[in-house]
Amino acid sequence: MEGPTPVSALIHAATMVTAGVFLIIRSSFLFEIVPDILTFITLIGTLTAFITSTVGLFQFDIKKVIAYSTCSQLGYMIFSCGLSQYTAASFHLINHAFFKALLFLTAGSIIHSIGGEQDIRKMGKLIKLLPNTYNSLLTGSLALGGFPFLSGFYSKDFILELAFSHISFHSSIAFWFGSISAFFTACYSFRLIYLIFFSKLNSFVVYLNTIHEHCLSIGIVLNILTFYSIFFGYFAKDLFIGFGTFF
Protein backbone atom coordinates (compact mmCIF):
# COMPACT_ATOMS: atom_id res chain seq x y z
CA MET A 1 0.00 0.00 0.00
CA GLU A 2 1.33 3.41 -0.96
CA GLY A 3 -0.24 6.71 -0.01
CA PRO A 4 0.46 10.22 1.24
CA THR A 5 2.04 10.26 4.69
CA PRO A 6 -0.97 11.76 6.56
CA VAL A 7 -3.14 9.01 5.05
CA SER A 8 -0.58 6.38 6.10
CA ALA A 9 -0.57 7.83 9.62
CA LEU A 10 -4.36 7.64 9.85
CA ILE A 11 -4.64 4.13 8.40
CA HIS A 12 -1.79 2.62 10.45
CA ALA A 13 -2.74 4.35 13.68
CA ALA A 14 -6.50 4.20 13.88
CA THR A 15 -8.62 2.76 11.08
CA MET A 16 -7.94 0.04 8.55
CA VAL A 17 -5.14 -2.12 9.93
CA THR A 18 -6.58 -2.22 13.45
CA ALA A 19 -10.05 -3.27 12.25
CA GLY A 20 -9.19 -6.98 12.58
CA VAL A 21 -8.15 -6.59 16.20
CA PHE A 22 -11.31 -4.61 16.93
CA LEU A 23 -13.41 -7.33 15.26
CA ILE A 24 -11.85 -10.06 17.43
CA ILE A 25 -12.43 -7.99 20.59
CA ARG A 26 -16.07 -7.34 19.66
CA SER A 27 -16.60 -11.04 18.80
CA SER A 28 -14.76 -12.32 21.87
CA PHE A 29 -17.83 -14.14 23.24
CA LEU A 30 -17.78 -16.34 20.12
CA PHE A 31 -14.06 -17.06 20.26
CA GLU A 32 -14.26 -18.03 23.93
CA ILE A 33 -16.55 -20.94 23.02
CA VAL A 34 -13.78 -22.62 20.98
CA PRO A 35 -10.44 -22.77 22.88
CA ASP A 36 -8.62 -24.34 19.91
CA ILE A 37 -9.32 -21.25 17.84
CA LEU A 38 -7.80 -19.08 20.61
CA THR A 39 -4.63 -21.20 20.47
CA PHE A 40 -4.53 -20.71 16.68
CA ILE A 41 -4.97 -16.93 17.10
CA THR A 42 -2.16 -16.84 19.67
CA LEU A 43 0.25 -18.65 17.34
CA ILE A 44 -0.69 -16.52 14.32
CA GLY A 45 -0.23 -13.31 16.33
CA THR A 46 3.11 -14.50 17.71
CA LEU A 47 4.46 -15.39 14.26
CA THR A 48 3.21 -12.07 12.88
CA ALA A 49 5.01 -10.10 15.61
CA PHE A 50 8.23 -12.06 15.13
CA ILE A 51 8.43 -12.27 11.32
CA THR A 52 7.47 -8.65 10.59
CA SER A 53 9.87 -7.28 13.22
CA THR A 54 12.59 -9.34 11.53
CA VAL A 55 11.66 -7.93 8.11
CA GLY A 56 11.67 -4.39 9.54
CA LEU A 57 15.36 -4.80 10.41
CA PHE A 58 16.28 -4.97 6.71
CA GLN A 59 14.20 -2.16 5.21
CA PHE A 60 15.73 1.09 3.97
CA ASP A 61 12.57 3.04 3.10
CA ILE A 62 11.68 5.13 6.17
CA LYS A 63 7.94 4.48 5.79
CA LYS A 64 8.43 0.74 5.21
CA VAL A 65 10.31 0.40 8.50
CA ILE A 66 7.42 2.06 10.34
CA ALA A 67 4.83 0.06 8.37
CA TYR A 68 6.43 -3.29 9.30
CA SER A 69 6.55 -2.00 12.86
CA THR A 70 2.75 -1.63 12.69
CA CYS A 71 2.41 -5.27 11.57
CA SER A 72 4.60 -6.34 14.48
CA GLN A 73 2.51 -4.43 17.03
CA LEU A 74 -0.68 -5.91 15.56
CA GLY A 75 0.85 -9.32 16.28
CA TYR A 76 1.06 -8.37 19.96
CA MET A 77 -2.60 -7.31 19.98
CA ILE A 78 -3.69 -10.52 18.21
CA PHE A 79 -1.83 -12.91 20.50
CA SER A 80 -3.14 -10.97 23.49
CA CYS A 81 -6.66 -11.70 22.20
CA GLY A 82 -5.67 -15.36 21.80
CA LEU A 83 -4.80 -15.41 25.51
CA SER A 84 -8.31 -14.03 26.26
CA GLN A 85 -6.81 -10.68 27.34
CA TYR A 86 -9.03 -8.44 25.24
CA THR A 87 -8.66 -5.43 27.53
CA ALA A 88 -4.88 -5.49 27.17
CA ALA A 89 -5.24 -5.72 23.38
CA SER A 90 -7.56 -2.70 23.25
CA PHE A 91 -5.21 -0.78 25.59
CA HIS A 92 -2.25 -1.44 23.29
CA LEU A 93 -4.38 -0.60 20.23
CA ILE A 94 -5.15 2.88 21.61
CA ASN A 95 -1.62 3.50 22.91
CA HIS A 96 -0.17 2.35 19.60
CA ALA A 97 -2.36 4.85 17.71
CA PHE A 98 -0.63 7.82 19.34
CA PHE A 99 3.00 6.88 18.85
CA LYS A 100 2.47 5.35 15.41
CA ALA A 101 0.73 8.50 14.14
CA LEU A 102 3.63 10.48 15.64
CA LEU A 103 6.21 8.31 13.86
CA PHE A 104 4.49 8.49 10.48
CA LEU A 105 3.93 12.25 10.59
CA THR A 106 7.53 12.79 11.72
CA ALA A 107 8.68 10.61 8.81
CA GLY A 108 6.55 12.77 6.49
CA SER A 109 8.19 15.90 7.90
CA ILE A 110 11.66 14.42 7.22
CA ILE A 111 10.72 13.32 3.68
CA HIS A 112 9.29 16.78 2.92
CA SER A 113 12.31 18.63 4.28
CA ILE A 114 14.83 16.56 2.31
CA GLY A 115 13.17 16.91 -1.09
CA GLY A 116 11.03 13.76 -1.19
CA GLU A 117 13.81 11.31 -0.34
CA GLN A 118 12.64 8.19 1.57
CA ASP A 119 15.81 6.05 1.52
CA ILE A 120 17.40 6.34 4.97
CA ARG A 121 20.81 5.45 3.47
CA LYS A 122 20.73 8.79 1.63
CA MET A 123 20.23 10.83 4.80
CA GLY A 124 22.53 11.36 7.77
CA LYS A 125 23.76 14.11 10.13
CA LEU A 126 20.31 15.76 10.20
CA ILE A 127 20.21 16.28 13.97
CA LYS A 128 21.66 19.81 13.69
CA LEU A 129 19.25 20.76 10.92
CA LEU A 130 16.10 19.10 12.31
CA PRO A 131 16.37 19.08 16.15
CA ASN A 132 12.60 19.27 16.81
CA THR A 133 11.91 16.49 14.33
CA TYR A 134 14.60 14.41 16.03
CA ASN A 135 12.87 14.86 19.41
CA SER A 136 9.55 13.68 17.94
CA LEU A 137 11.08 10.61 16.26
CA LEU A 138 13.03 9.70 19.40
CA THR A 139 9.93 9.97 21.63
CA GLY A 140 7.83 7.88 19.22
CA SER A 141 10.56 5.24 18.94
CA LEU A 142 11.02 5.01 22.72
CA ALA A 143 7.26 4.62 23.20
CA LEU A 144 7.15 1.98 20.45
CA GLY A 145 10.02 0.06 22.05
CA GLY A 146 8.29 0.02 25.44
CA PHE A 147 10.72 2.34 27.23
CA PRO A 148 9.75 2.49 30.94
CA PHE A 149 6.94 4.90 31.84
CA LEU A 150 6.13 5.95 28.26
CA SER A 151 2.77 4.93 26.80
CA GLY A 152 3.96 1.80 25.00
CA PHE A 153 5.50 0.41 28.18
CA TYR A 154 2.21 0.18 30.04
CA SER A 155 0.43 -1.87 27.38
CA LYS A 156 3.27 -3.77 25.66
CA ASP A 157 4.91 -4.88 28.90
CA PHE A 158 1.48 -5.74 30.29
CA ILE A 159 0.82 -8.07 27.32
CA LEU A 160 4.21 -9.79 27.77
CA GLU A 161 3.62 -10.20 31.52
CA LEU A 162 0.20 -11.73 30.83
CA ALA A 163 1.76 -14.17 28.35
CA PHE A 164 4.40 -15.09 30.94
CA SER A 165 1.82 -15.61 33.69
CA HIS A 166 -0.30 -18.07 31.64
CA ILE A 167 0.65 -21.70 32.20
CA SER A 168 0.38 -23.21 28.73
CA PHE A 169 2.64 -24.13 25.84
CA HIS A 170 1.29 -21.54 23.37
CA SER A 171 1.54 -18.72 25.93
CA SER A 172 5.20 -19.61 26.56
CA ILE A 173 5.85 -19.41 22.82
CA ALA A 174 4.03 -16.06 22.73
CA PHE A 175 6.14 -14.73 25.61
CA TRP A 176 9.54 -15.72 24.22
CA PHE A 177 8.87 -14.74 20.62
CA GLY A 178 7.19 -11.54 21.84
CA SER A 179 10.26 -10.69 23.89
CA ILE A 180 12.58 -11.34 20.93
CA SER A 181 10.30 -9.19 18.75
CA ALA A 182 10.51 -6.40 21.34
CA PHE A 183 14.31 -6.57 21.10
CA PHE A 184 14.13 -6.38 17.28
CA THR A 185 11.76 -3.42 17.59
CA ALA A 186 14.37 -1.55 19.62
CA CYS A 187 17.03 -2.51 17.04
CA TYR A 188 15.22 -1.23 13.95
CA SER A 189 13.97 1.89 15.74
CA PHE A 190 17.45 3.00 16.75
CA ARG A 191 18.90 1.91 13.41
CA LEU A 192 16.38 4.31 11.86
CA ILE A 193 17.38 7.14 14.21
CA TYR A 194 21.10 6.50 13.71
CA LEU A 195 21.01 6.42 9.91
CA ILE A 196 18.87 9.57 9.67
CA PHE A 197 20.40 11.76 12.35
CA PHE A 198 23.89 10.54 13.26
CA SER A 199 25.50 8.61 10.40
CA LYS A 200 27.71 10.18 7.73
CA LEU A 201 25.89 12.69 5.52
CA ASN A 202 24.86 10.95 2.28
CA SER A 203 22.33 13.34 0.74
CA PHE A 204 22.99 15.59 -2.25
CA VAL A 205 24.61 18.91 -1.42
CA VAL A 206 21.85 20.75 -3.29
CA TYR A 207 19.36 19.62 -0.62
CA LEU A 208 21.40 21.01 2.28
CA ASN A 209 20.21 24.57 1.57
CA THR A 210 16.57 23.48 1.43
CA ILE A 211 16.39 21.23 4.53
CA HIS A 212 14.17 22.99 7.06
CA GLU A 213 12.10 22.32 10.17
CA HIS A 214 8.36 21.75 9.83
CA CYS A 215 5.92 24.64 9.93
CA LEU A 216 4.01 25.69 13.05
CA SER A 217 0.81 23.76 12.27
CA ILE A 218 2.73 20.47 11.84
CA GLY A 219 4.76 21.27 14.95
CA ILE A 220 1.59 21.67 17.04
CA VAL A 221 0.23 18.30 15.85
CA LEU A 222 3.55 16.55 16.56
CA ASN A 223 3.74 18.11 20.03
CA ILE A 224 0.20 16.95 20.88
CA LEU A 225 1.01 13.39 19.75
CA THR A 226 4.32 13.52 21.64
CA PHE A 227 2.45 14.47 24.82
CA TYR A 228 0.04 11.55 24.45
CA SER A 229 2.87 9.17 23.53
CA ILE A 230 4.52 10.01 26.85
CA PHE A 231 1.57 10.34 29.25
CA PHE A 232 -1.51 8.51 27.91
CA GLY A 233 -0.43 5.08 29.15
CA TYR A 234 0.06 6.41 32.67
CA PHE A 235 -3.28 8.23 32.74
CA ALA A 236 -5.26 5.32 31.24
CA LYS A 237 -3.64 2.32 32.95
CA ASP A 238 -6.18 2.20 35.79
CA LEU A 239 -9.03 2.38 33.29
CA PHE A 240 -7.78 -0.61 31.26
CA ILE A 241 -5.80 -2.74 33.72
CA GLY A 242 -7.93 -2.15 36.82
CA PHE A 243 -7.98 0.57 39.44
CA GLY A 244 -5.33 0.33 42.16
CA THR A 245 -3.75 -2.88 40.85
CA PHE A 246 -0.02 -3.57 41.32
CA PHE A 247 0.19 -6.09 38.46
Side-chain angles (χ1 to χ4, degrees):
M1 182 195 69
E2 293 187 14
T5 308
V7 176
S8 300
L10 177 67
I11 286 173
H12 281 255
T15 52
M16 192 175 74
V17 297
T18 54
V21 180
F22 182 72
L23 183 66
I24 293 175
I25 293 168
R26 291 291 289 172
S27 307
S28 57
F29 60 94
L30 296 174
F31 287 102
E32 287 299 315
I33 299 170
V34 192
D36 290 343
I37 294 295
L38 290 176
T39 303
F40 178 70
I41 290 173
T42 305
L43 295 175
I44 288 293
T46 304
L47 287 174
T48 301
F50 178 71
I51 292 170
T52 51
S53 63
T54 309
V55 175
L57 284 168
F58 300 99
Q59 298 302 314
F60 292 105
D61 185 311
I62 183 172
K63 286 175 70 176
K64 279 188 179 180
V65 174
I66 301 171
Y68 277 109
S69 151
T70 302
C71 294
S72 181
Q73 299 310 302
L74 288 172
Y76 281 94
M77 299 172 209
I78 293 292
F79 84 63
S80 177
C81 290
L83 297 172
S84 301
Q85 300 296 336
Y86 304 102
T87 310
S90 59
F91 189 23
H92 193 50
L93 190 153
I94 295 169
N95 270 341
H96 172 261
F98 291 117
F99 54 74
K100 191 48 56 75
L102 174 63
L103 286 169
F104 261 109
L105 293 175
T106 305
S109 176
I110 294 168
I111 293 165
H112 177 68
S113 71
I114 205 167
E117 183 58 66
Q118 292 187 209
D119 193 330
I120 56 178
R121 293 170 294 184
K122 296 180 182 177
M123 301 178 192
K125 278 285 186 289
L126 295 182
I127 187 166
K128 294 179 180 177
L129 299 170
L130 304 171
N132 294 331
T133 307
Y134 166 72
N135 290 335
S136 299
L137 191 69
L138 180 65
T139 305
S141 298
L142 288 172
L144 170 67
F147 190 80
F149 310 115
L150 271 66
S151 287
F153 166 76
Y154 288 99
S155 53
K156 192 173 182 179
D157 201 62
F158 184 47
I159 288 172
L160 288 173
E161 285 183 30
L162 288 168
F164 183 71
S165 65
H166 272 250
I167 310 300
S168 64
F169 176 69
H170 60 274
S171 65
S172 299
I173 292 175
F175 171 72
W176 286 109
F177 277 91
S179 299
I180 295 167
S181 303
F183 173 70
F184 287 162
T185 301
C187 289
Y188 64 65
S189 296
F190 286 98
R191 169 178 171 268
L192 189 73
I193 291 171
Y194 175 76
L195 288 175
I196 295 172
F197 293 105
F198 295 103
S199 66
K200 185 179 71 175
L201 182 66
N202 284 321
S203 58
F204 294 109
V205 177
V206 68
Y207 289 139
L208 287 177
N209 297 325
T210 60
I211 294 174
H212 57 282
E213 276 288 10
H214 42 251
C215 61
L216 179 63
S217 57
I218 295 175
I220 291 170
V221 172
L222 292 181
N223 287 335
I224 292 170
L225 289 169
T226 299
F227 176 83
Y228 279 107
S229 297
I230 296 171
F231 294 111
F232 183 81
Y234 176 76
F235 290 139
K237 70 181 191 300
D238 289 332
L239 178 67
F240 284 94
I241 296 173
F243 185 73
T245 179
F246 291 105
F247 190 84

